[in-house]
Amino acid sequence: MQFEGQIRKMTTENHSPINYYWNFKDDFIVMNQLLGKKIKISFDHYECLGCHEDKEIYQMGYCKNCFFTLPEANPSIINPELSTAHLGIVQRDLDWEQKFELQPHIVYLANSSGVKVGVTRLTQVPTRWIDQGASEAIIIARTDNRYEAGMIEVSLKDIITDKTNWQRMLKNDVPEVDLFQKYHEIKSYVNKDFIQFLVEEPEVLKLEYPVNSYPDKVKSLNLKKTPIIEGILKGIKAQYLIFEDNSVFNVRGHEGFYVKFEI
Ligand SMILES: [Zn+2]
C-alpha cells in the first residue's frame, strides 16, 4: 500500500501503550500496527506548513520566510517568558497571540532522560509529554497565561534542565527519580511573584510506549541526506520511529517534508 503527503507530527492517544497515528490529508495510518513490519519513506519535495510552497524547510516545518514572520513561530513559542500578549503588546499578530498565549498553561516536571522542566498549554496534557518521550510527568503549576508559566520555568532553569537528551530517551536510559520529591526540593526556587500558581499535591502520570526492544546506540536518519528510508519498525517513542537496525527517524523534525509512504 502506498500513501503520500506532507509530514505532520504524529497524533497520539494515551493508552498502555500509547497509540500513534500518522496523518495524511484524507487518510491516516495506525502506526502501532506496523511494528515488526517493513516501511519505506521517500522524500519527494517540500511543502512548508505556513505557505504550502515547495521551499526548503528551515525550522518547525516552516520555510525561512514563514519562520521569521508567522505568529506560530514567534519567539515566545520557544521561550514562553518572552510572551507579551497579556500586556497587549504585539509580536507578530496580536489576535493570534492573545488566543494562543492568554489561556491556561502549566509548568511540569518530566522524566525522559533525567528530570526536565517545561511549559505547555493545559490542552496539550499529556500530548506534550508523549511528544518528548517522558516516562512520567507531573504538573507543578497552573497559570492563566503563557508569560506566568514562562517566568516559573525560568526561575527553575538554573537547577533543572529544560532539554531532553534524545539519545538517552530513545535507549530508555532513564534514571529512577521521584518527581514528587524533586518538586518539593525545588519549590523554594520559584520566583515569589508566581508562587500562588503552584500545585499543592501533584499527581504522577506514567506513560508507556509501543517499543518491542530499545536500541543500545542510536543513529539518526535525515531525509535531506538519506532521501529514502527503509526498515523494519521495532518501536515508537516521543516522535521517533525506531528501526530494527537501530536507526531512528524523528517525524516531528521532518514536518513540511512531502513524502511517499509505503507499507
Ligand atoms: Zn513558508
Side-chain angles (χ1 to χ4, degrees):
M1 273 205 290
Q2 186 171 309
F3 301 83
E4 65 171 79
Q6 177 197 46
I7 297 183
R8 307 292 309 247
K9 79 183 183 87
M10 292 178 283
T11 49
T12 56
E13 228 175 10
N14 187 19
H15 279 277
S16 20
I18 291 154
N19 287 324
Y20 281 90
Y21 303 91
W22 185 302
N23 296 288
F24 296 102
K25 207 162 163 242
D26 307 306
D27 264 316
F28 65 89
I29 302 173
V30 182
M31 294 300 289
N32 301 53
Q33 292 178 351
L34 299 182
L35 291 188
K37 298 198 174 121
K38 192 173 162 187
I39 62 174
K40 183 177 172 184
I41 299 167
S42 319
F43 177 34
D44 199 72
H45 61 274
Y46 295 109
E47 187 185 321
C48 167
L49 298 191
C51 63
H52 301 283
E53 284 175 35
D54 182 3
K55 294 206 276 191
E56 187 174 0
I57 299 302
Y58 178 70
Q59 266 186 56
M60 291 167 62
Y62 297 112
C63 71
K64 209 165 189 174
N65 182 56
C66 287
F67 182 79
F68 287 107
T69 55
L70 289 180
E72 289 88 339
N74 88 56
S76 76
I77 299 296
I78 308 285
N79 295 107
E81 72 278 11
L82 301 178
S83 170
T84 52
H86 62 293
L87 303 172
I89 296 173
V90 63
Q91 299 204 10
R92 294 179 179 181
D93 176 344
L94 191 56
D95 243 15
W96 189 96
E97 285 149 15
Q98 285 181 330
K99 274 195 201 97
F100 186 91
E101 293 164 26
L102 305 186
Q103 59 171 295
H105 277 66
I106 60 140
V107 185
Y108 61 86
L109 296 183
N111 185 9
S112 39
S113 57
V115 185
K116 64 156 278 176
V117 61
V119 163
T120 193
R121 286 167 291 151
L122 181 59
T123 56
Q124 291 304 103
V125 174
T127 308
R128 180 75 179 146
W129 301 336
I130 295 171
D131 288 349
Q132 292 178 337
S135 299
E136 50 184 8
I138 58 172
I139 296 175
I140 62 163
R142 293 169 179 270
T143 67
D144 299 326
N145 63 45
R146 191 165 184 82
Y147 169 75
E148 293 156 350
M151 290 302 286
I152 295 172
E153 184 190 30
V154 164
S155 59
L156 295 174
K157 268 184 187 173
D158 285 343
I159 42 169
I160 301 181
T161 180
D162 60 341
K163 305 274 186 296
T164 300
N165 178 323
W166 63 269
Q167 290 99 334
R168 288 187 62 187
M169 179 274 290
L170 287 172
K171 289 188 279 186
N172 208 32
D173 178 6
V174 184
E176 288 269 338
V177 187
D178 182 336
L179 288 178
F180 189 70
Q181 191 191 332
K182 191 77 191 171
Y183 169 50
H184 286 286
E185 281 169 34
I186 57 146
K187 230 174 150 179
S188 61
Y189 291 89
V190 171
N191 184 326
K192 296 285 173 287
D193 295 339
F194 300 94
I195 51 173
Q196 71 269 31
F197 298 114
L198 293 177
V199 171
E200 273 306 312
E201 295 287 319
E203 277 174 39
V204 177
L205 179 71
K206 290 185 184 293
L207 298 160
E208 192 197 320
Y209 297 88
V211 180
N212 290 343
S213 70
Y214 284 99
D216 302 326
K217 47 182 176 185
V218 292
K219 186 176 82 170
S220 182
L221 297 166
N222 176 336
L223 283 177
K224 273 190 205 178
K225 289 186 199 138
T226 314
I228 297 177
I229 285 168
E230 215 169 350
I232 295 168
L233 192 64
K234 73 167 176 178
I236 311 172
K237 189 177 186 188
Q239 282 285 331
Y240 282 85
L241 306 182
I242 305 169
F243 293 101
E244 285 286 358
D245 67 354
N246 293 342
S247 61
V248 297
F249 179 69
N250 181 358
V251 177
R252 189 173 208 176
H254 286 85
E255 281 191 312
F257 284 61
Y258 191 101
V259 295
K260 296 212 161 75
F261 193 119
E262 283 167 68
I263 303 170

